[in-house]
Amino acid sequence: MDVPENEEELDTSARSRPESCLDQPMDSSSVHEVVHLDSSALPAKHHDPDTTEPISCGLQTLEELLSWKRSDANLFNVATVRLAPREPPLAASACRTLVSHDMMGGYLDDRFTQGTHTDAPYAFYHWHYIDIFNYFTHNLVTIPPAVWTNAAHKHGVVVLGTFITEWTEGAAVCEAFLKDEESYRAVADKLVQISHCYSFDGWLINIENSLSDVAVKNTPLFLQYLTEQMHERVPGSLVLWYDSVLEKGELKWQNELNQSNRVFFAACDGFFTNYNWTVQSLEWMAGYSGLEGRQADVYVGVDVFARGKVVGGMWETNKALEFIRKHNFSVALFAPGWVYETLSDKTQFRKNQDKFWALLSDFLPIHRPASPLPFVSSFCQGFGKAVYRKGQLEASRSWFNLSAQEAARCCLEGLIPITNTSPVSAKIFSLHVPLATKTLVTLIYKSSPGIRVSLELKTTDASQCTHMNVYDVKLPAVSPAGLDDGLESVSQFSQLCGNLSPDGWTTGCSQLELRGCVLRELSLNIQRDREPQETPFSCRVGEILLLDGASLQTPPQLVQGLCIYDVVWLRGAGTSTSPCLHLNATMRWDYPTELVRHFRVYWQRLRGPDPRIPPGQLALVGRAYSNLYRVTELEVPEAPGLLELVVEPVIRKGFQLPESHWGRRILSYTEAKTQ
């Protein structure tokens, strides 16, 4: 494979660090800028023209694809979350579920790689039900927004981009790149490089136009080469073919795998059928010898909008799944965002989405994402009406950022009957987490009066799993057995298990002594703490953390290499009546992203044009989910001025890092000299 930039030998952090960042001396704590109110020179396709916010996009033309280079990549759209292992592994799953997300042309609110402010966004959070997520648009090359890839990867779900050709223009593209081996390999090489660069897991290939004899002869060779190269460069990757063209080049959807299209199925990882199948065609396909034992690699398409003559769809999509699963095929759900698009009242979206997936749940085998300790979840679904931190309101505005998603079921309510004497148990998620010999567990929750809440952990039934001891931890107390008595460990442990209850939140902490155990399920048990009577209850879970007690001995890392570049100065509305000076700048730093949930970015005014005004306090700018953050529309004092930008890692272990471990960089700025 042609890899002109020798990507394999480059360190990831070095590869993503721009030259302008490398030019800044790391032995200096400050950067100087001259204020020029010029238009932005940043690439327009990667930045919002008004605010310079980073955005994701696809590629429109074959020329754009063939000229693509890693140096042209949008670093803000590189996914930072690696694909989590899962149980069972995808390859071992007999019936898989694919979601093809096609919504109003794509690249909507989700195009903002750092999130955005919107009152009623579309989000998907039923990841445990699906195995593959395809981001679909009608661009020639659809690169999934990083927010989707990050969310899917956390839950062990594979992400596919889309390569599509359509109509007369698409036919011309196909004749150009399928004319010979050199041409189709050039396109395949670029698709592999793009997937590798942006850290997603493969492609749906959708040729929706007729092909010449030469082009259709080369199509299986293109698919085979692309599949082989993807497997070599991106472990666990998939290349799927959509049911469209026949082996003679005719565009004729078959709604099944048969002898006319099997040549494409044989050249890649799977086949996505069109939507107008019948029960009879499923029965025929189940006995088709051309399957050759690859039944799970046939994804029977279901259009949730129920366009055309289809089985099921809309609120009856479960009927389609029932027939598909009866014949042991995988399923491809196309446009399940129907529950959002067709709603006149978007405030009912979450209720309708939950209803839709509940109807399908009997036909959707779940998988468990495998995660090492620490495991932590605040049950964030990637959107909300306000931002909270440790139960305290931080910002009262709507927001949307799928990169913020974590395992997501947090609110329970119901009724304990008067005759019920045993606890009500509610499973909050399934997972696969090997537990340490001494595992610290914290639970933060807010419940209605009159009930007791406890956490139940179910482990695998493996014979080597031994439960030795479980006990509650209450502070102040001596640090738990097995932990070093050093002051740092006690301090960290106190942060995790301190008896703090802001605004009614309760923190409980336990230590488990186990050997050879793997956690597979977490449930909440809810029980009355008063005389038997009919008891309505509600319980909100704020956070669950499972931590290897020994990890408290590992010293925390420091943020290093913080730099500021791509500075753009603009005038805009602010708190005063006259236009204010706005700073827009990119920040980049080094810190292992696998250790953090996110980074908090702050700024602080150190000095403005009026020396009588004292320095300001640290103010939150936003949250970053990678080592890269674009500050946009930050209102700053007029020049000359001095300010500081600060990065705080919010680590997965749960305790706050001392400020000495944060990243800091001072920015001074002056007016441009007039001629």
Side-chain angles (χ1 to χ4, degrees), residues 416-468:
I416 304 175
I418 190 170
T419 56
N420 205 73
T421 56
S422 58
V424 174
S425 182
K427 183 172 70 174
I428 49 181
F429 42 70
S430 299
L431 64 173
H432 185 89
V433 180
L435 298 175
T437 303
K438 288 183 171 57
T439 298
L440 180 68
V441 182
T442 65
L443 170 66
I444 303 174
Y445 65 93
K446 181 189 288 188
S447 64
S448 54
I451 62 171
R452 294 197 307 270
V453 178
S454 60
L455 190 63
E456 181 179 1
L457 287 72
K458 295 183 179 179
T459 56
T460 53
D461 295 329
S463 57
Q464 66 268 27
C465 178
T466 305
H467 295 232
M468 295 178 288

Side-chain angles (χ1 to χ4, degrees), residues 552-565:
L552 293 178
Q553 307 305 311
T554 305
Q557 299 200 34
L558 286 73
V559 174
Q560 296 182 332
L562 175 59
C563 65
I564 303 168
Y565 60 99

Side-chain angles (χ1 to χ4, degrees), residues 54-56 75-81 101 107-116 122-124 127 133 135 143-155 159 198-200 381-382 399-406 623 625-626:
I55 56 176
S56 53
L75 297 182
F76 287 97
N77 198 43
V78 175
T80 56
V81 180
H101 174 61
Y107 298 118
L108 304 171
D109 291 330
D110 54 7
R111 75 186 185 277
F112 294 100
T113 61
Q114 295 181 168
T116 189
Y122 173 78
F124 178 79
W127 295 106
F133 178 85
Y135 195 83
I143 300 170
V147 294
W148 281 106
T149 306
N150 286 335
H153 278 184
K154 286 178 186 176
H155 296 84
V159 176
Y198 288 109
S199 298
F200 61 94
Q381 294 183 337
W399 64 277
F400 171 67
N401 188 344
L402 293 174
S403 290
Q405 273 196 1
E406 295 177 327
R623 295 181 178 183
Y625 293 86
S626 71

